[in-house]
Amino acid sequence: MLCMLDSKNINKISSYIRFPVHKYTLHNGLRVILSPNKNIHTASYLMGVCVGSRQEQLGITGISHMFEHLMFKGTKKYPQFDKTYADHAVTEVNAFTSYDYTAYHASFQKDQLELVLDVESNRLSQLKLTQKELDMERSVVQEERLMGVDNNPSGIAMEKLFELSFKKHAYRHPIIGYKKDIANYDLKKLNTWYKHYYSPNNAVLVISGNFSVKEAKKHINKYFACLKSQTIIKKSKIIEPEQRVARYKSITKQVKSPFVRMACVCPKIGSREAYALEIISHILSSGESSVLYQSMVRESKLLSYISTGLWSFIDYSVFLISYPLLQLDQEKHIKSLMLKNIQKGLAKSITKYNLEKVKNIHTNQLLFSLKKDTDKLFLLSDFEIQLGDYKKLYEKLDILHGLSSQFIKQVGEKYLQAERFSCITVKNQNNKAC
Amino acid sequence: MTKSNFKNTSDLINYQELHVKTGLKIFFLEDDSLPTIQYHVLFPNTGSDMDPKDLAGLAFVTACLSEQGAGDFNSLDLQKELNYLGTALDIRINNQNSSIELSGLSWHGRRLWDLLEMILTKPHFKQKEWLLLQKQCINSRLQFLDKQQAVAREFWKSNTFQNKCIQARGSLKSLKRITLQDIKTFYKNKFQKGNPILMLAGKLDQKLKSHIVSSFESMFSYCDQNKTSFAIPAPTNQLKLLTKKDLIQAQIYTGYAISPILKHEVKKWITFKIIMEILGGHSMTSRLFLNLREKQGLTYGVYSYMSFSNLYAYFMIQGATKNSSVKLFLTSLLSLLKKFRDKGIDKIELQRAKACLKSQYLKTIETVESQLYYYVYYTCYFNFPTSMPAKYLDILNSISLQDVNQLIKTSIRPEHLQSIVYAHPCTKDSLKQLKNFPKLQVISFENHFKENLKKS
């Protein structure tokens, strides 16, 4: 008999997820999360600033990402902080920008904790930008856009898909920004962005690994408590109108393997509906025994693979479907059959067996993500920034596993309807199958 | 004493090695901190270098097909079993080795092992499954051909190694050529006689360990293997332009073949790592990053690598830039390499590189899974002494500035670069002006790959 997640094991898992975490907030609003672990040899930090492409609009798309690049240009005290870090064995120095936030992170040895906190507090408050640095970094971002989007069929497809799916919300804009906007950034706009969003009351500092909590609190107080909070521009949420008609766009590119990307806008991260859709995604396409793999790959032989997934953000989630399209003349038929099989799957496959399978998948994923310190760091920051509280990490498995099959079906039937999907097809110029 | 308070680096690695009766090895690394388990089976010398001529991808498809039905389970039932446990096989192939990994929750440990044993010893290899896998591999290949960086890399390797050992997952032609009989023969001659190494990491109980040892003993026996050799291609100074009309950005790969690392050359290998870190590692202070990105804004990323196997090795630099900047990129790169070779590095750069490599090493051994893999990989892949992983930091510390600069002088050879640019045809005129490369060869993507798939 296959093992199931019985209540004894579920309780065990709960104790593993609740690893030691200390959270507090400075008087200036900086949220601090400390997760010590003496069993490893290094520590990591992440400074998350609650600004991403979600706050942008046409004219300044990609500005959060551009700013992420400029944060590496140094301050008066640390004009070449990358070399400072390199000289003190602070490694894996990097950053990323998402729709919802921008994060700066690195790994270090515990005796460099004070240096790291000094540099990061300096970057958060004392950055000085010059035109020369902006111009040079703009070239780099333009190259990055070429690599990730303009010269990359998959990148173009995702950019167009989000444009098609969101008519009003800022999630329609690419994180890297449009070419025209990248070309037009100026110091005034960037300094305004810095002033409005780079503030302790709009940031979260996470430190994990081998470090002293006492020392961390002391240094955080020394370097961050003196920073002044700013009034953060809080834009009211843009409500994306409900999609009632299917949307479609075809992109012509010289590709050997035409493909399709589909998206459906769904409720936000942390909502019960989003968790239900996460479960549905696994049932539909996790593993070769999944509903869509069996129906679309094995039975109908129309596809060689299919994948689904849920990308969740602060305001909305996006249910994604991807598959290659080797038989171009069957494009409509494949899409129609796939949507039918999704509905069939919702009707017949939200079973106890499949829900147990998904429990095992989630548990595996979560436990393996707790193995590496940096993965833990990102988990803590994601939950704190996107959901408002890192403790929601502890609740995730309980919420997921507590949803009834009826509720899951209802959510699936509501959101995964043909008319709610936007679809991008990328195919080659002559419309011929390869 | 906590793990982090290590006094000797030998305290960092703490595995158990067992030689079973059949002559094969099992490595255990226990860790109770999380209820997970991982089985990793490494088949040394069963990678794509072993693919017969014209059957590129055979090692890969053989490994993949083994999970499409085994023992008492047909393909669907086997997948159901694995997927229900929340897991799937992870199959990896490089030029030298194949490996199969299965991980999951520790209370599923026995079940996972039984499934893995079946897959490794009783695969069905059915024609129906092969036809589906073939179709999937062909589609993957087509997707590969749409990825500019991947194509450029493959083109560079095929030019540097004169068409040998390139397509680990097969080309369109070879995938269509492979038959089920080829797969069965490869499985029998290579995987069954592949002297696999088993690595177990995670929460292991004594009963399960004993069961695994006794079943592994009956699964495989030790077999003597023929050693293959490989002639290192002579250095060239060649530039080839692979063109495709819709490319807005150029991918540039340059480098050359070098001698493989021998088992007694641990210090040399680590010295090479230092050199690569300084020249084009992933830090923001590497020479390539500072010059080509920070100073000139020519690229988003440019990196240098040395890749070693026991048969051959290579040095490579890779970057991307817009079509109009290709000439400047290459000129700057050549000038930088010459300066690097002629003037070497300084003390500060050496210190930084050592700190970075130390940090990377400590991160590598952070989890039991990666610790075990790292240990087995380097002792079995390069045949390094078994004491090496524990002595890595000591050896790293012992490397002097003189050691590094001496190796730079003998190993960095800008005159011998085999270079390729994969870009729009418009770059041809600017590349022809480059004095460093006597002859520019221009090939179109369609002519080179000639992999037109007929409708099946």
Side-chain angles (χ1 to χ4, degrees), chain B residues 41 43 46-47 51 57-69 79 89-93 97-101 116 119-120 123 125 130 133 137 168 183-184 186-187 191:
Chain B
V41 185
F43 291 88
T46 320
D51 289 340
L58 182 56
F60 177 68
V61 300
T62 304
C64 289
L65 199 58
S66 62
E67 65 161 334
Q68 300 301 332
Q79 292 305 318
L89 277 186
D90 184 5
I91 294 169
R92 292 178 217 184
I93 300 268
N97 307 320
S98 298
S99 74
I100 294 177
E101 187 188 295
L116 184 60
I119 288 165
L120 292 173
F125 294 142
W130 164 231
L133 178 63
C137 289
I183 291 170
K184 288 178 179 175
F186 194 90
Y187 169 77
F191 279 92

mmCIF file of all heavy atoms in Angstrom, chain B residues 41 43 46-47 51 57-69 79 89-93 97-101 116 119-120 123 125 130 133 137 168 183-184 186-187 191:
data_model
loop_
_atom_site.group_PDB
_atom_site.id
_atom_site.type_symbol
_atom_site.label_atom_id
_atom_site.label_comp_id
_atom_site.label_asym_id
_atom_site.label_seq_id
_atom_site.Cartn_x
_atom_site.Cartn_y
_atom_site.Cartn_z
ATOM 1 N N VAL B 41 22.527 7.548 -8.246
ATOM 2 C CA VAL B 41 23.343 6.497 -8.846
ATOM 3 C C VAL B 41 24.149 7.116 -9.979
ATOM 4 O O VAL B 41 23.577 7.641 -10.943
ATOM 5 C CB VAL B 41 22.466 5.354 -9.401
ATOM 6 C CG1 VAL B 41 23.355 4.227 -9.907
ATOM 7 C CG2 VAL B 41 21.516 4.842 -8.349
ATOM 8 N N PHE B 43 26.812 6.620 -12.975
ATOM 9 C CA PHE B 43 27.438 5.651 -13.880
ATOM 10 C C PHE B 43 28.635 6.349 -14.523
ATOM 11 O O PHE B 43 28.484 7.096 -15.502
ATOM 12 C CB PHE B 43 26.447 5.213 -14.977
ATOM 13 C CG PHE B 43 25.305 4.379 -14.483
ATOM 14 C CD1 PHE B 43 24.131 4.974 -14.023
ATOM 15 C CD2 PHE B 43 25.387 2.993 -14.483
ATOM 16 C CE1 PHE B 43 23.073 4.197 -13.565
ATOM 17 C CE2 PHE B 43 24.327 2.208 -14.028
ATOM 18 C CZ PHE B 43 23.172 2.820 -13.565
ATOM 19 N N THR B 46 29.851 6.572 -18.681
ATOM 20 C CA THR B 46 28.672 6.129 -19.441
ATOM 21 C C THR B 46 27.930 7.353 -19.958
ATOM 22 O O THR B 46 26.716 7.373 -20.073
ATOM 23 C CB THR B 46 27.732 5.296 -18.535
ATOM 24 O OG1 THR B 46 28.509 4.444 -17.711
ATOM 25 C CG2 THR B 46 26.791 4.438 -19.352
ATOM 26 N N GLY B 47 28.701 8.376 -20.266
ATOM 27 C CA GLY B 47 28.097 9.607 -20.766
ATOM 28 C C GLY B 47 28.089 9.637 -22.279
ATOM 29 O O GLY B 47 28.300 8.618 -22.942
ATOM 30 N N ASP B 51 28.664 7.430 -26.718
ATOM 31 C CA ASP B 51 27.705 7.233 -27.806
ATOM 32 C C ASP B 51 28.464 6.758 -29.044
ATOM 33 O O ASP B 51 29.469 7.349 -29.425
ATOM 34 C CB ASP B 51 26.990 8.549 -28.158
ATOM 35 C CG ASP B 51 26.016 8.992 -27.087
ATOM 36 O OD1 ASP B 51 25.606 8.140 -26.268
ATOM 37 O OD2 ASP B 51 25.656 10.184 -27.075
ATOM 38 N N GLY B 57 23.392 10.792 -28.492
ATOM 39 C CA GLY B 57 22.187 10.815 -27.659
ATOM 40 C C GLY B 57 21.781 9.447 -27.148
ATOM 41 O O GLY B 57 20.821 9.335 -26.390
ATOM 42 N N LEU B 58 22.511 8.409 -27.541
ATOM 43 C CA LEU B 58 22.109 7.047 -27.170
ATOM 44 C C LEU B 58 22.162 6.841 -25.654
ATOM 45 O O LEU B 58 21.253 6.245 -25.069
ATOM 46 C CB LEU B 58 22.994 6.019 -27.881
ATOM 47 C CG LEU B 58 22.662 4.544 -27.642
ATOM 48 C CD1 LEU B 58 21.221 4.217 -28.009
ATOM 49 C CD2 LEU B 58 23.613 3.640 -28.453
ATOM 50 N N ALA B 59 23.215 7.335 -25.015
ATOM 51 C CA ALA B 59 23.307 7.191 -23.549
ATOM 52 C C ALA B 59 22.110 7.858 -22.891
ATOM 53 O O ALA B 59 21.479 7.313 -21.979
ATOM 54 C CB ALA B 59 24.612 7.804 -23.034
ATOM 55 N N PHE B 60 21.781 9.032 -23.353
ATOM 56 C CA PHE B 60 20.685 9.800 -22.770
ATOM 57 C C PHE B 60 19.345 9.087 -22.935
ATOM 58 O O PHE B 60 18.586 8.917 -21.970
ATOM 59 C CB PHE B 60 20.630 11.198 -23.395
ATOM 60 C CG PHE B 60 19.485 12.033 -22.910
ATOM 61 C CD1 PHE B 60 19.457 12.486 -21.601
ATOM 62 C CD2 PHE B 60 18.424 12.345 -23.741
ATOM 63 C CE1 PHE B 60 18.384 13.248 -21.137
ATOM 64 C CE2 PHE B 60 17.358 13.094 -23.284
ATOM 65 C CZ PHE B 60 17.338 13.543 -21.976
ATOM 66 N N VAL B 61 19.048 8.650 -24.137
ATOM 67 C CA VAL B 61 17.724 8.029 -24.349
ATOM 68 C C VAL B 61 17.624 6.690 -23.632
ATOM 69 O O VAL B 61 16.556 6.296 -23.180
ATOM 70 C CB VAL B 61 17.350 7.913 -25.850
ATOM 71 C CG1 VAL B 61 17.318 9.284 -26.491
ATOM 72 C CG2 VAL B 61 18.223 6.958 -26.610
ATOM 73 N N THR B 62 18.766 6.000 -23.501
ATOM 74 C CA THR B 62 18.742 4.730 -22.767
ATOM 75 C C THR B 62 18.358 4.985 -21.308
ATOM 76 O O THR B 62 17.496 4.308 -20.742
ATOM 77 C CB THR B 62 20.112 4.031 -22.840
ATOM 78 O OG1 THR B 62 20.465 3.853 -24.211
ATOM 79 C CG2 THR B 62 20.077 2.681 -22.136
ATOM 80 N N ALA B 63 18.991 5.970 -20.707
ATOM 81 C CA ALA B 63 18.663 6.299 -19.312
ATOM 82 C C ALA B 63 17.197 6.718 -19.192
ATOM 83 O O ALA B 63 16.492 6.305 -18.269
ATOM 84 C CB ALA B 63 19.583 7.400 -18.800
ATOM 85 N N CYS B 64 16.720 7.545 -20.122
ATOM 86 C CA CYS B 64 15.331 8.038 -20.049
ATOM 87 C C CYS B 64 14.320 6.912 -20.249
ATOM 88 O O CYS B 64 13.279 6.880 -19.603
ATOM 89 C CB CYS B 64 15.090 9.106 -21.108
ATOM 90 S SG CYS B 64 15.931 10.639 -20.756
ATOM 91 N N LEU B 65 14.639 6.000 -21.159
ATOM 92 C CA LEU B 65 13.661 4.959 -21.469
ATOM 93 C C LEU B 65 13.523 3.958 -20.319
ATOM 94 O O LEU B 65 12.506 3.284 -20.188
ATOM 95 C CB LEU B 65 14.064 4.232 -22.760
ATOM 96 C CG LEU B 65 12.963 3.441 -23.457
ATOM 97 C CD1 LEU B 65 11.784 4.325 -23.830
ATOM 98 C CD2 LEU B 65 13.496 2.730 -24.696
ATOM 99 N N SER B 66 14.535 3.869 -19.469
ATOM 100 C CA SER B 66 14.499 2.896 -18.377
ATOM 101 C C SER B 66 13.342 3.166 -17.416
ATOM 102 O O SER B 66 12.888 2.262 -16.712
ATOM 103 C CB SER B 66 15.823 2.878 -17.617
ATOM 104 O OG SER B 66 16.064 4.143 -17.040
ATOM 105 N N GLU B 67 12.837 4.408 -17.350
ATOM 106 C CA GLU B 67 11.726 4.680 -16.424
ATOM 107 C C GLU B 67 10.355 4.556 -17.107
ATOM 108 O O GLU B 67 9.334 4.840 -16.498
ATOM 109 C CB GLU B 67 11.871 6.058 -15.763
ATOM 110 C CG GLU B 67 11.789 7.222 -16.689
ATOM 111 C CD GLU B 67 11.467 8.549 -15.980
ATOM 112 O OE1 GLU B 67 10.844 8.528 -14.909
ATOM 113 O OE2 GLU B 67 11.844 9.591 -16.536
ATOM 114 N N GLN B 68 10.354 4.139 -18.357
ATOM 115 C CA GLN B 68 9.069 3.985 -19.060
ATOM 116 C C GLN B 68 8.637 2.530 -19.011
ATOM 117 O O GLN B 68 8.524 1.860 -20.032
ATOM 118 C CB GLN B 68 9.198 4.500 -20.498
ATOM 119 C CG GLN B 68 9.575 5.953 -20.598
ATOM 120 C CD GLN B 68 8.578 6.873 -19.902
ATOM 121 O OE1 GLN B 68 7.394 6.574 -19.773
ATOM 122 N NE2 GLN B 68 9.071 8.002 -19.416
ATOM 123 N N GLY B 69 8.458 2.061 -17.803
ATOM 124 C CA GLY B 69 8.062 0.669 -17.644
ATOM 125 C C GLY B 69 9.229 -0.153 -17.130
ATOM 126 O O GLY B 69 10.303 -0.159 -17.723
ATOM 127 N N GLN B 79 4.907 5.507 -13.479
ATOM 128 C CA GLN B 79 4.827 6.958 -13.288
ATOM 129 C C GLN B 79 3.841 7.298 -12.177
ATOM 130 O O GLN B 79 4.078 8.202 -11.380
ATOM 131 C CB GLN B 79 4.432 7.658 -14.592
ATOM 132 C CG GLN B 79 5.501 7.580 -15.676
ATOM 133 C CD GLN B 79 6.840 8.120 -15.211
ATOM 134 O OE1 GLN B 79 6.928 9.152 -14.540
ATOM 135 N NE2 GLN B 79 7.911 7.414 -15.544
ATOM 136 N N LEU B 89 12.022 10.901 -11.402
ATOM 137 C CA LEU B 89 13.447 10.659 -11.635
ATOM 138 C C LEU B 89 14.104 11.892 -12.233
ATOM 139 O O LEU B 89 13.518 12.565 -13.073
ATOM 140 C CB LEU B 89 13.626 9.513 -12.633
ATOM 141 C CG LEU B 89 13.564 8.084 -12.137
ATOM 142 C CD1 LEU B 89 13.912 7.135 -13.269
ATOM 143 C CD2 LEU B 89 14.524 7.843 -10.996
ATOM 144 N N ASP B 90 15.325 12.131 -11.818
ATOM 145 C CA ASP B 90 16.102 13.225 -12.414
ATOM 146 C C ASP B 90 17.280 12.570 -13.132
ATOM 147 O O ASP B 90 18.155 11.993 -12.478
ATOM 148 C CB ASP B 90 16.573 14.161 -11.295
ATOM 149 C CG ASP B 90 17.312 15.367 -11.835
ATOM 150 O OD1 ASP B 90 17.373 15.538 -13.066
ATOM 151 O OD2 ASP B 90 17.820 16.155 -11.015
ATOM 152 N N ILE B 91 17.244 12.617 -14.451
ATOM 153 C CA ILE B 91 18.284 11.949 -15.240
ATOM 154 C C ILE B 91 19.210 13.002 -15.829
ATOM 155 O O ILE B 91 18.749 13.950 -16.460
ATOM 156 C CB ILE B 91 17.637 11.116 -16.371
ATOM 157 C CG1 ILE B 91 16.841 9.971 -15.735
ATOM 158 C CG2 ILE B 91 18.695 10.565 -17.331
ATOM 159 C CD1 ILE B 91 15.953 9.228 -16.699
ATOM 160 N N ARG B 92 20.497 12.829 -15.606
ATOM 161 C CA ARG B 92 21.455 13.809 -16.142
ATOM 162 C C ARG B 92 22.566 13.097 -16.891
ATOM 163 O O ARG B 92 23.053 12.054 -16.472
ATOM 164 C CB ARG B 92 22.098 14.593 -15.008
ATOM 165 C CG ARG B 92 21.139 15.503 -14.289
ATOM 166 C CD ARG B 92 21.800 16.214 -13.161
ATOM 167 N NE ARG B 92 20.891 16.345 -12.050
ATOM 168 C CZ ARG B 92 21.181 17.000 -10.928
ATOM 169 N NH1 ARG B 92 22.348 17.570 -10.781
ATOM 170 N NH2 ARG B 92 20.293 17.073 -9.954
ATOM 171 N N ILE B 93 22.944 13.726 -17.982
ATOM 172 C CA ILE B 93 24.036 13.176 -18.792
ATOM 173 C C ILE B 93 25.007 14.312 -19.078
ATOM 174 O O ILE B 93 24.582 15.402 -19.460
ATOM 175 C CB ILE B 93 23.485 12.663 -20.143
ATOM 176 C CG1 ILE B 93 22.461 11.574 -19.943
ATOM 177 C CG2 ILE B 93 24.591 12.223 -21.080
ATOM 178 C CD1 ILE B 93 22.992 10.174 -19.945
ATOM 179 N N ASN B 97 29.732 11.142 -17.722
ATOM 180 C CA ASN B 97 28.927 10.284 -16.844
ATOM 181 C C ASN B 97 27.443 10.405 -17.115
ATOM 182 O O ASN B 97 26.973 11.392 -17.668
ATOM 183 C CB ASN B 97 29.112 10.705 -15.382
ATOM 184 C CG ASN B 97 30.548 10.769 -14.976
ATOM 185 O OD1 ASN B 97 31.335 9.915 -15.356
ATOM 186 N ND2 ASN B 97 30.911 11.788 -14.231
ATOM 187 N N SER B 98 26.740 9.367 -16.655
ATOM 188 C CA SER B 98 25.284 9.464 -16.561
ATOM 189 C C SER B 98 24.926 9.341 -15.093
ATOM 190 O O SER B 98 25.644 8.666 -14.335
ATOM 191 C CB SER B 98 24.617 8.307 -17.309
ATOM 192 O OG SER B 98 24.939 8.348 -18.665
ATOM 193 N N SER B 99 23.843 9.970 -14.712
ATOM 194 C CA SER B 99 23.406 9.761 -13.333
ATOM 195 C C SER B 99 21.890 9.794 -13.245
ATOM 196 O O SER B 99 21.215 10.433 -14.050
ATOM 197 C CB SER B 99 24.017 10.793 -12.382
ATOM 198 O OG SER B 99 23.401 12.040 -12.540
ATOM 199 N N ILE B 100 21.408 9.035 -12.274
ATOM 200 C CA ILE B 100 19.960 8.978 -12.032
ATOM 201 C C ILE B 100 19.744 9.263 -10.559
ATOM 202 O O ILE B 100 20.371 8.638 -9.704
ATOM 203 C CB ILE B 100 19.414 7.576 -12.395
ATOM 204 C CG1 ILE B 100 19.567 7.364 -13.900
ATOM 205 C CG2 ILE B 100 17.958 7.444 -11.980
ATOM 206 C CD1 ILE B 100 19.131 6.000 -14.389
ATOM 207 N N GLU B 101 18.867 10.205 -10.298
ATOM 208 C CA GLU B 101 18.643 10.620 -8.921
ATOM 209 C C GLU B 101 17.161 10.512 -8.583
ATOM 210 O O GLU B 101 16.305 10.825 -9.425
ATOM 211 C CB GLU B 101 19.075 12.077 -8.801
ATOM 212 C CG GLU B 101 19.067 12.653 -7.407
ATOM 213 C CD GLU B 101 19.324 14.154 -7.452
ATOM 214 O OE1 GLU B 101 20.426 14.545 -7.863
ATOM 215 O OE2 GLU B 101 18.407 14.903 -7.104
ATOM 216 N N LEU B 116 13.393 2.313 -7.677
ATOM 217 C CA LEU B 116 14.662 2.635 -8.345
ATOM 218 C C LEU B 116 15.373 1.342 -8.763
ATOM 219 O O LEU B 116 15.920 1.237 -9.870
ATOM 220 C CB LEU B 116 15.548 3.462 -7.411
ATOM 221 C CG LEU B 116 16.876 3.948 -7.998
ATOM 222 C CD1 LEU B 116 16.650 4.841 -9.214
ATOM 223 C CD2 LEU B 116 17.695 4.713 -6.953
ATOM 224 N N ILE B 119 13.842 0.056 -11.890
ATOM 225 C CA ILE B 119 14.173 0.881 -13.062
ATOM 226 C C ILE B 119 15.598 0.579 -13.533
ATOM 227 O O ILE B 119 15.878 0.497 -14.731
ATOM 228 C CB ILE B 119 14.010 2.384 -12.718
ATOM 229 C CG1 ILE B 119 12.514 2.709 -12.602
ATOM 230 C CG2 ILE B 119 14.666 3.273 -13.750
ATOM 231 C CD1 ILE B 119 12.226 4.034 -11.915
ATOM 232 N N LEU B 120 16.488 0.378 -12.571
ATOM 233 C CA LEU B 120 17.889 0.176 -12.933
ATOM 234 C C LEU B 120 18.153 -1.229 -13.452
ATOM 235 O O LEU B 120 19.093 -1.439 -14.232
ATOM 236 C CB LEU B 120 18.791 0.443 -11.715
ATOM 237 C CG LEU B 120 18.853 1.893 -11.233
ATOM 238 C CD1 LEU B 120 19.645 1.989 -9.937
ATOM 239 C CD2 LEU B 120 19.477 2.796 -12.282
ATOM 240 N N PRO B 123 14.339 -2.710 -16.744
ATOM 241 C CA PRO B 123 13.557 -1.821 -17.616
ATOM 242 C C PRO B 123 12.945 -2.610 -18.767
ATOM 243 O O PRO B 123 13.532 -3.576 -19.236
ATOM 244 C CB PRO B 123 14.616 -0.836 -18.141
ATOM 245 C CG PRO B 123 15.904 -1.569 -18.047
ATOM 246 C CD PRO B 123 15.796 -2.524 -16.919
ATOM 247 N N PHE B 125 11.960 -1.427 -21.918
ATOM 248 C CA PHE B 125 12.393 -1.009 -23.254
ATOM 249 C C PHE B 125 11.409 -1.465 -24.329
ATOM 250 O O PHE B 125 11.718 -2.330 -25.157
ATOM 251 C CB PHE B 125 13.796 -1.536 -23.575
ATOM 252 C CG PHE B 125 14.883 -0.934 -22.705
ATOM 253 C CD1 PHE B 125 15.937 -1.713 -22.256
ATOM 254 C CD2 PHE B 125 14.860 0.406 -22.353
ATOM 255 C CE1 PHE B 125 16.955 -1.176 -21.467
ATOM 256 C CE2 PHE B 125 15.874 0.959 -21.555
ATOM 257 C CZ PHE B 125 16.920 0.156 -21.107
ATOM 258 N N TRP B 130 9.530 3.839 -26.792
ATOM 259 C CA TRP B 130 10.652 4.457 -27.488
ATOM 260 C C TRP B 130 10.152 5.457 -28.532
ATOM 261 O O TRP B 130 10.693 6.549 -28.662
ATOM 262 C CB TRP B 130 11.546 3.408 -28.122
ATOM 263 C CG TRP B 130 12.503 3.951 -29.156
ATOM 264 C CD1 TRP B 130 12.681 3.481 -30.420
ATOM 265 C CD2 TRP B 130 13.379 5.092 -29.042
ATOM 266 N NE1 TRP B 130 13.621 4.249 -31.089
ATOM 267 C CE2 TRP B 130 14.052 5.253 -30.266
ATOM 268 C CE3 TRP B 130 13.645 6.018 -28.021
ATOM 269 C CZ2 TRP B 130 14.984 6.262 -30.503
ATOM 270 C CZ3 TRP B 130 14.569 7.029 -28.250
ATOM 271 C CH2 TRP B 130 15.225 7.150 -29.488
ATOM 272 N N LEU B 133 9.217 8.605 -26.744
ATOM 273 C CA LEU B 133 10.404 9.291 -26.239
ATOM 274 C C LEU B 133 11.179 9.926 -27.389
ATOM 275 O O LEU B 133 11.680 11.038 -27.288
ATOM 276 C CB LEU B 133 11.303 8.300 -25.477
ATOM 277 C CG LEU B 133 12.611 8.878 -24.927
ATOM 278 C CD1 LEU B 133 12.337 9.959 -23.892
ATOM 279 C CD2 LEU B 133 13.462 7.776 -24.303
ATOM 280 N N CYS B 137 12.227 13.745 -27.705
ATOM 281 C CA CYS B 137 13.629 14.160 -27.849
ATOM 282 C C CYS B 137 13.806 15.000 -29.109
ATOM 283 O O CYS B 137 14.567 15.969 -29.119
ATOM 284 C CB CYS B 137 14.554 12.945 -27.900
ATOM 285 S SG CYS B 137 14.695 12.113 -26.316
ATOM 286 N N ALA B 168 24.945 15.677 -26.457
ATOM 287 C CA ALA B 168 24.623 14.704 -25.418
ATOM 288 C C ALA B 168 23.190 14.194 -25.557
ATOM 289 O O ALA B 168 22.901 13.051 -25.213
ATOM 290 C CB ALA B 168 24.829 15.314 -24.048
ATOM 291 N N ILE B 183 19.400 0.674 -28.130
ATOM 292 C CA ILE B 183 19.193 1.042 -26.723
ATOM 293 C C ILE B 183 19.447 -0.168 -25.818
ATOM 294 O O ILE B 183 20.150 -0.070 -24.809
ATOM 295 C CB ILE B 183 17.770 1.589 -26.514
ATOM 296 C CG1 ILE B 183 17.638 2.949 -27.215
ATOM 297 C CG2 ILE B 183 17.429 1.728 -25.031
ATOM 298 C CD1 ILE B 183 16.231 3.475 -27.296
ATOM 299 N N LYS B 184 18.907 -1.301 -26.212
ATOM 300 C CA LYS B 184 19.069 -2.507 -25.388
ATOM 301 C C LYS B 184 20.546 -2.903 -25.314
ATOM 302 O O LYS B 184 21.049 -3.278 -24.251
ATOM 303 C CB LYS B 184 18.243 -3.660 -25.956
ATOM 304 C CG LYS B 184 16.748 -3.496 -25.752
ATOM 305 C CD LYS B 184 15.974 -4.645 -26.368
ATOM 306 C CE LYS B 184 14.489 -4.465 -26.130
ATOM 307 N NZ LYS B 184 13.674 -5.497 -26.804
ATOM 308 N N PHE B 186 23.140 -0.913 -25.701
ATOM 309 C CA PHE B 186 23.862 0.079 -24.900
ATOM 310 C C PHE B 186 23.614 -0.149 -23.413
ATOM 311 O O PHE B 186 24.541 -0.091 -22.598
ATOM 312 C CB PHE B 186 23.424 1.491 -25.295
ATOM 313 C CG PHE B 186 24.326 2.576 -24.768
ATOM 314 C CD1 PHE B 186 25.412 3.018 -25.497
ATOM 315 C CD2 PHE B 186 24.105 3.138 -23.514
ATOM 316 C CE1 PHE B 186 26.257 4.008 -25.008
ATOM 317 C CE2 PHE B 186 24.946 4.119 -23.015
ATOM 318 C CZ PHE B 186 26.015 4.552 -23.758
ATOM 319 N N TYR B 187 22.392 -0.437 -23.073
ATOM 320 C CA TYR B 187 22.055 -0.696 -21.669
ATOM 321 C C TYR B 187 22.864 -1.891 -21.142
ATOM 322 O O TYR B 187 23.460 -1.852 -20.067
ATOM 323 C CB TYR B 187 20.551 -0.957 -21.537
ATOM 324 C CG TYR B 187 20.151 -1.498 -20.188
ATOM 325 C CD1 TYR B 187 20.072 -0.667 -19.080
ATOM 326 C CD2 TYR B 187 19.881 -2.859 -20.025
ATOM 327 C CE1 TYR B 187 19.736 -1.173 -17.835
ATOM 328 C CE2 TYR B 187 19.546 -3.357 -18.783
ATOM 329 C CZ TYR B 187 19.475 -2.516 -17.696
ATOM 330 O OH TYR B 187 19.143 -3.025 -16.474
ATOM 331 N N PHE B 191 25.435 0.361 -19.223
ATOM 332 C CA PHE B 191 24.845 0.616 -17.913
ATOM 333 C C PHE B 191 25.009 -0.586 -16.990
ATOM 334 O O PHE B 191 25.392 -0.438 -15.825
ATOM 335 C CB PHE B 191 23.363 0.999 -18.044
ATOM 336 C CG PHE B 191 23.165 2.445 -18.413
ATOM 337 C CD1 PHE B 191 23.055 2.821 -19.736
ATOM 338 C CD2 PHE B 191 23.111 3.436 -17.442
ATOM 339 C CE1 PHE B 191 22.898 4.166 -20.086
ATOM 340 C CE2 PHE B 191 22.958 4.777 -17.782
ATOM 341 C CZ PHE B 191 22.851 5.137 -19.109
#
